[in-house]
Amino acid sequence: MFVPEIGVRLATTLQASDNVVVRPYGKLSYTFQGDIGSSRAFTYAAGGNVFTLKGVDPKGYGSLDGGINAIFNDRIGLFVQGGLNFGGSQKGAEARGGVNVRF
């Protein structure tokens, strides 16, 4: 199955102080989907008429993601990220956050 995606991601690095680096980013993309063409003919094991099950024709959808990472003293990282999917039959949102400690 071929599912192409087109998008753009923008990111930068900001030196907030000698010990703090901040990295914000954003991403916008669109995923194209089409008919997967999976129609199949079936019959019941006990007999009966032939019937056809048709494949799905999912719609395309877009995604918007963004977040920010902060790194302190090259050892401790804090991050907050989120995303939104929209269009077609795909709808949803998510948020994440956490701490990374480097040894």
Side-chain angles (χ1 to χ4, degrees):
M1 181 167 64
F2 180 65
V3 182
E5 179 181 1
I6 187 169
V8 62
R9 179 182 168 111
L10 300 173
T12 189
T13 299
L14 306 170
Q15 189 75 37
S17 72
D18 290 339
N19 298 324
V20 180
V21 175
V22 178
R23 294 184 176 128
Y25 77 93
K27 175 185 169 190
L28 177 63
S29 65
Y30 187 81
T31 302
F32 299 89
Q33 297 189 101
D35 187 358
I36 63 172
S38 62
S39 297
R40 302 287 186 262
F42 292 91
T43 59
Y44 290 106
N49 294 330
V50 175
F51 61 95
T52 302
L53 295 177
K54 293 187 176 188
V56 296
D57 187 7
K59 305 296 182 210
Y61 63 93
S63 296
L64 177 63
D65 298 296
I68 188 165
N69 299 331
I71 300 173
F72 301 90
N73 294 323
D74 289 329
R75 294 210 178 263
I76 299 174
L78 300 174
F79 66 91
V80 177
Q81 303 168 337
L84 174 67
N85 293 329
F86 54 90
S89 61
Q90 306 290 324
K91 292 176 181 53
E94 64 181 341
R96 297 176 300 282
V99 177
N100 295 317
V101 179
R102 298 178 186 177
F103 294 97

